[in-house]
Amino acid sequence: MNRPARVLAVWCPDWPAVAAAALGKVPAHRPVAVLSANKVVACSAIARADGVRRGLRRREAQARCPELFIAQSDPDRDARLFEPVVAAVDAAVPGVEVLRPGLLILGVRGAARFFGSEEAAAERLVDAVAAAGAEAQIGIADELSTAVLAARRATIVAPGAGAEFLASLPIGELAVEPALAAPERVDLVDLLHRLGLRRVGDFAALTPTQVASRFGVDAIAAHRCARALPERPPSVRTPPRDLTVELRCDPPIDRVDAAAFAGRLLATRAHAALSAAAVACTRLAVFAETAAGEHLTRIWRCAEPLTADGVADRVRWQLDGWLTHRDTGGSGGPTAPITLLRLEPVEVIPAAALQLGLWGDAGGTDARAMRALVRVQGLLGGAAVQVGVLSGGRGPAERITMVALGDEQVPATDPALPWPGRLPEPAPAVLMMNRPQVQLESAGGDPVHVTDRGLFSATPARLRWGSKQWELTAWAGPWPMDELWWASGSAPAARVQVELPGPHTLLLITREGSWHVEGLYE
């Protein structure tokens, strides 16, 4: 019986931090952390030794490690600086596939045969990566996901022993590598942990029927990973040739900005072709031809089907890496401008596997919006983007504390404390910050005000707002406001809800004898 083709994974630990340190020329002894939305997403081993961890806010990370070098998350930078590493591995063993910057895979059979053994191949690749200026760990196993997890422990898993190797790992390992797991995998792992399944082997002991009947689609994929079963679905098929798209570059491309524009154009064409064929791409080959007749190829593999933005990102990263390192000797990059670009889907699945969001996206809207907001902060300052935090208070405006995006969401006052005289629920949907003045009148046209006893001077029947007026259909209140009751000469203050025909409901506030609109209800 033929043994399954084994997989070798090359993992460069903390690659975003390594790339940021290299670009910033940071000394090797200085700790480094990479931030996104003011939270640590990657850090160096030296920073971890000082207590820095992923998920910490910038202020806390700097408090734990004052000499910490801070860099912002930049996927383009990570991919550009990873290209020499990929080229070095590809020169030693052709046929690499990039999962993400910092992680690549390849078939180990040919390498083991050429170098004499899997151990010798692993040693040779570690040396090749070191020659490119990086550190790497190698993992080898029967299945791709098992090999990636083995690389994080620099382990060669014996043939057929994948399930045994995975069984003792913490359940969180199923979500530790974003290139292998969908975003919802983190929630799945948290649920499994709360159910008492603390090890991967505990989850693997469940039957496929139990998993399929109680959890979602991603849980089925995670269960197959935990059992070290073949992960490629049977629906994967060789894509037809007409899905390949290419672009003749006239004039030839020799700048990164021109490459980004061409990559976006080609990605749009590729996604349109895939959509027309009702398929989605999970493995994409990027080809380039230069004016000197050089032919360059790189394959990108993704955990989830690629969207149009995902295709464009990977094309931009690859072209950026090739063009940036084209003049460095031995980098494997081009020595002349690029004259032809071609994208070829290597592996496709039915488009039904790409679960679209309500507005046609693929679930990445939140992440794209966050990146856009962080970029606005970088241009206009941290206080330019703020979010509301529920706070304690009596009025609706007092119950909102605005905090800069990325800062710790701490309210100005504790909402759990008792607040006598607080406006009853529900709160208004819109707050009128300018508080326009209105007149509240009785049926006879007399002004209505609040007495010292907290009651209406007359039954409210009509509301005048500028040149318009409405007959009230209902009202509630008044609710006296007890602030500054000790101030001499202060008029009674109160709030009242009034319903106009429509219906439209307003929240009114009275101070110093005049009425103002504080909020609108929907």
Side-chain angles (χ1 to χ4, degrees):
M1 182 175 65
N2 294 331
R3 291 168 54 185
R6 287 165 62 76
V7 180
L8 184 149
V10 181
W11 176 58
C12 296
D14 310 317
W15 182 254
V18 172
L23 193 63
K25 295 182 172 55
V26 180
H29 59 81
R30 185 175 180 185
V32 178
V34 177
L35 272 63
S36 176
N38 215 38
K39 288 186 178 181
V40 176
V41 293
C43 60
S44 61
I46 300 176
R48 282 195 296 275
D50 289 337
V52 180
R53 295 291 185 271
R54 286 187 298 177
L56 289 182
R57 297 192 179 276
R58 175 173 183 158
R59 186 178 304 171
E60 185 176 354
Q62 290 178 318
R64 296 187 180 187
C65 183
E67 65 274 17
L68 189 67
F69 176 80
I70 297 294
Q72 293 299 319
S73 178
D74 186 354
D76 292 354
R77 173 197 63 210
D78 300 343
R80 181 172 64 250
L81 297 183
F82 191 58
E83 175 56 28
V85 177
V86 180
V89 175
D90 193 53
V93 181
V96 302
E97 296 182 12
V98 182
L99 296 184
R100 62 166 175 81
L103 178 63
L104 57 87
I105 60 169
L106 51 93
V108 73
R109 178 178 296 174
R113 187 176 302 166
F114 182 79
F115 293 113
S117 67
E118 292 181 350
E119 292 78 4
E123 292 177 1
R124 181 61 63 92
L125 291 180
V126 168
D127 293 340
V129 174
E135 297 181 357
Q137 295 180 189
I138 304 296
I140 300 177
D142 293 340
E143 298 300 333
L144 186 154
S145 60
T146 308
V148 170
L149 295 179
R152 304 180 76 91
R153 289 162 174 76
T155 301
I156 298 179
V157 181
E164 181 181 354
F165 165 74
L166 294 172
S168 61
L169 300 183
I171 192 66
E173 291 294 308
L174 294 177
V176 73
E177 178 49 62
L180 300 178
E184 59 268 21
R185 182 71 59 84
V186 175
D187 296 333
L188 171 67
V189 167
D190 179 66
L191 175 60
L192 295 176
H193 191 273
R194 287 186 281 114
L195 290 174
L197 304 178
R198 305 301 170 84
R199 299 288 174 182
V200 174
D202 299 334
F203 183 46
L206 300 179
T207 66
T209 301
Q210 291 173 327
V211 174
S213 61
R214 289 167 173 82
F215 306 101
V217 175
D218 182 63
I220 299 175
H223 190 240
R224 294 183 63 86
C225 171
R227 300 170 65 199
L229 296 178
E231 297 151 330
R232 185 171 299 178
S235 58
V236 172
R237 60 184 183 273
T238 302
R241 298 293 301 177
D242 57 2
L243 294 181
T244 300
V245 295
E246 66 178 28
L247 176 67
R248 294 282 177 181
C249 306
D250 186 16
I253 295 175
D254 59 356
R255 302 192 323 274
V256 173
D257 57 344
F261 179 79
R264 170 65 66 175
L265 177 62
L266 201 58
T268 302
R269 294 181 183 176
H271 191 68
L274 291 168
S275 299
V279 295
C281 179
T282 56
R283 216 159 36 124
L284 178 72
V286 182
F287 298 89
E289 184 177 329
T290 70
E294 300 163 311
H295 296 270
L296 307 172
T297 306
R298 189 72 72 231
I299 296 178
W300 288 81
R301 180 192 289 262
C302 305
E304 294 185 288
L306 285 169
T307 62
D309 288 340
V311 174
D313 285 344
R314 283 153 180 80
V315 175
R316 185 180 72 252
W317 294 344
Q318 190 57 61
L319 295 179
D320 193 353
W322 278 337
L323 293 174
T324 301
H325 300 282
R326 68 175 184 143
D327 294 327
T328 58
S331 68
T335 60
I338 295 175
T339 58
L340 174 68
L341 288 175
R342 184 167 73 254
L343 300 183
E344 181 178 327
V346 178
E347 186 176 279
V348 297
I349 60 177
L354 184 60
Q355 181 61 46
L356 297 179
L358 180 62
W359 305 114
D361 62 349
T365 303
D366 292 344
R368 290 197 300 271
M370 182 60 69
R371 288 197 298 267
L373 293 175
V374 170
R375 180 166 296 181
V376 171
Q377 280 187 313
L379 294 174
L380 303 181
V385 181
Q386 297 184 334
V387 295
V389 180
L390 180 64
S391 306
R394 295 177 175 85
E398 301 168 9
R399 301 190 64 191
I400 300 175
T401 299
M402 301 305 296
V403 178
L405 179 68
D407 286 352
E408 188 173 1
Q409 297 186 358
V410 178
T413 52
D414 189 354
L417 295 177
W419 293 94
R422 184 174 65 182
L423 181 71
E425 298 292 342
V430 179
L431 293 181
M432 306 291 289
M433 304 308 296
N434 60 340
R435 292 190 177 179
Q437 185 173 354
V438 295
Q439 289 81 43
L440 197 60
E441 300 177 350
S442 65
D446 298 324
V448 175
H449 60 272
V450 177
T451 66
D452 294 337
R453 301 177 63 87
L455 302 174
F456 282 128
S457 61
T459 301
R462 186 181 302 108
L463 177 79
R464 291 185 183 271
W465 189 341
S467 60
K468 296 183 179 180
Q469 65 177 18
W470 297 269
E471 299 295 328
L472 303 186
T473 58
W475 54 269
W479 295 284
M481 299 163 54
D482 295 331
E483 296 95 337
L484 301 178
W485 56 267
W486 58 86
S488 59
S490 59
R495 289 186 173 91
V496 61
Q497 295 171 338
V498 297
E499 184 180 88
L500 309 180
H504 300 286
T505 304
L506 310 180
L507 176 65
L508 306 183
I509 183 172
T510 177
R511 289 184 184 274
E512 302 298 331
S514 61
W515 290 97
H516 300 266
V517 180
E518 187 176 19
L520 308 176
Y521 293 90
E522 294 182 351

